[in-house]
């Protein structure tokens, strides 16, 4: 599997850069200054946090022209900060997760397909971890945590529907499963090697508000496909 990193916001595409310039620069001199600033990672982070840029992204009529990493990072960063979670790495990780899922399902970049597999039983995760080698186990936990975070964050309606229809486990159960998976990933030696301990620590500390941020993202800013 391709392991998510916390450098997704660094992968600005030419269309993203042009969008930033159009949103924030009024003159040729300002465009040149912005281009220089975007070449510096710390300054680029500051620019991506600009309120006017978020407003431009949210009002953009053609978000398909934007890379999913850029679109999701700007929106998720805005929502997490509003929720009191001022952590760039976490917003970046979530943007990468959403962008990866979007691409994997060949959907429009302004939308997400209906849902990942809604039936992820605790036994599935446990059995997969038991079958895996010690090295592979880390990736099993990460994949399980990511899938469950998407399920509870972007597609909670699917969980509620199954719960009401057949008495299946509710959001609290899947949220606990996700936290357990990320905790196991956090405790694995590979977590430090891949430099993911800080982001998983933050995610575990703020899992419930993070899930609610994704709930809001799905409800207010995304078109969910079928």
């Amino acid at each position: 599997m391709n392991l998510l990193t916390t450098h997704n916001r660094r992968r600005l595409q030419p269309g993203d850069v042009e969008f930033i310039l159009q949103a924030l620069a009024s003159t040729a001199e300002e465009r040149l200054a912005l281009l220089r600033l975007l070449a510096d990672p710390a300054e680029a982070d500051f620019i991506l946090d600009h309120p006017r840029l978020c407003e431009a992204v949210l009002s953009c009529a053609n978000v398909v022209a934007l890379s999913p990493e850029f679109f999701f990072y700007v929106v998720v960063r805005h929502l997490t900060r509003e929720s009191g979670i001022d952590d760039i790495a976490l917003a970046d990780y979530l943007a990468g997760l959403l962008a990866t899922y979007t691409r994997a399902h060949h959907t429009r970049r302004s939308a997400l397909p209906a849902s990942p597999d809604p039936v992820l039983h605790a036994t599935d995760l446990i059995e997969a971890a038991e079958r895996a080698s010690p090295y592979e186990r880390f990736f099993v936990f990460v994949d399980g945590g990511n899938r469950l975070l998407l399920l509870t964050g972007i597609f909670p309606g699917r969980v509620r529907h199954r719960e009401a229809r057949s008495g299946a486990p509710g959001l609290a159960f899947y949220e606990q499963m996700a936290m357990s998976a990320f905790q196991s990933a956090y405790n694995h030696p590979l977590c430090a090697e891949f430099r993911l301990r800080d982001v998983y620590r933050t995610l575990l500390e703020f899992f419930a508000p993070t899930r609610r941020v994704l709930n809001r993202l799905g409800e207010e800013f995304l078109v969910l496909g079928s």
Side-chain angles (χ1 to χ4, degrees), residues 89-172:
L90 178 60
D92 193 307
Y93 185 89
L94 296 174
L97 175 61
L98 292 163
T100 299
Y101 182 70
T102 298
R103 285 198 175 98
H105 289 76
H106 308 291
T107 185
R108 291 185 300 112
R109 291 175 182 175
S110 59
L112 287 176
S115 175
D117 180 4
V119 185
L120 180 59
H121 298 292
T123 53
D124 296 334
L125 192 56
I126 293 170
E127 289 174 1
E130 289 177 345
R131 290 194 303 269
S133 68
Y135 180 88
E136 294 169 336
R137 200 164 293 143
F138 173 71
F139 299 96
V140 171
F141 291 136
V142 170
D143 184 55
N146 286 339
R147 289 173 59 194
L148 289 161
L149 180 56
L150 274 176
L151 179 64
T152 59
I154 301 296
F155 307 103
R158 294 296 295 270
V159 178
R160 296 189 183 100
H161 176 72
R162 287 176 53 80
E163 182 181 19
R165 186 185 65 183
S166 60
L171 280 174

Side-chain angles (χ1 to χ4, degrees), residues 15-218:
D16 303 330
V17 174
E18 181 58 31
F19 183 87
I20 293 170
L21 296 177
Q22 290 184 9
L24 302 181
S26 302
T27 66
E29 290 78 10
E30 289 179 353
R31 286 174 66 91
L32 288 174
L34 269 176
L35 283 172
R36 287 194 293 270
L37 292 173
L38 286 170
D40 181 291
E43 295 292 347
D45 286 344
F46 181 78
I47 291 169
L48 291 175
D49 278 351
H50 200 294
R52 205 158 77 231
L53 181 61
C54 185
E55 292 173 5
V57 168
L58 293 178
S59 61
C60 179
N62 185 30
V63 294
V64 172
L66 307 177
S67 72
E69 286 84 0
F70 172 66
F71 171 79
F72 285 124
Y73 176 77
V74 171
V75 177
V76 170
R77 176 74 171 138
H78 169 71
L79 294 178
T80 52
R81 292 180 77 192
E82 276 196 346
S83 299
I85 312 171
D86 191 0
D87 190 283
I88 286 177
L90 178 60
D92 193 307
Y93 185 89
L94 296 174
L97 175 61
L98 292 163
T100 299
Y101 182 70
T102 298
R103 285 198 175 98
H105 289 76
H106 308 291
T107 185
R108 291 185 300 112
R109 291 175 182 175
S110 59
L112 287 176
S115 175
D117 180 4
V119 185
L120 180 59
H121 298 292
T123 53
D124 296 334
L125 192 56
I126 293 170
E127 289 174 1
E130 289 177 345
R131 290 194 303 269
S133 68
Y135 180 88
E136 294 169 336
R137 200 164 293 143
F138 173 71
F139 299 96
V140 171
F141 291 136
V142 170
D143 184 55
N146 286 339
R147 289 173 59 194
L148 289 161
L149 180 56
L150 274 176
L151 179 64
T152 59
I154 301 296
F155 307 103
R158 294 296 295 270
V159 178
R160 296 189 183 100
H161 176 72
R162 287 176 53 80
E163 182 181 19
R165 186 185 65 183
S166 60
L171 280 174
F173 173 80
Y174 286 109
E175 184 176 290
Q176 189 57 49
M177 276 185 64
M179 292 181 66
S180 178
F182 282 121
Q183 183 68 61
S184 296
Y186 175 82
N187 292 334
H188 196 284
L190 285 180
C191 193
E193 182 176 329
F194 287 111
R195 299 181 180 180
L196 286 168
R197 296 204 66 173
D198 287 345
V199 72
Y200 287 163
R201 182 187 298 114
T202 304
L203 180 56
L204 287 164
E205 182 179 356
F206 296 102
F207 191 89
T210 298
R211 194 257 300 162
R212 289 192 290 269
V213 162
L214 294 180
N215 291 164
R216 185 180 170 193
L217 178 73

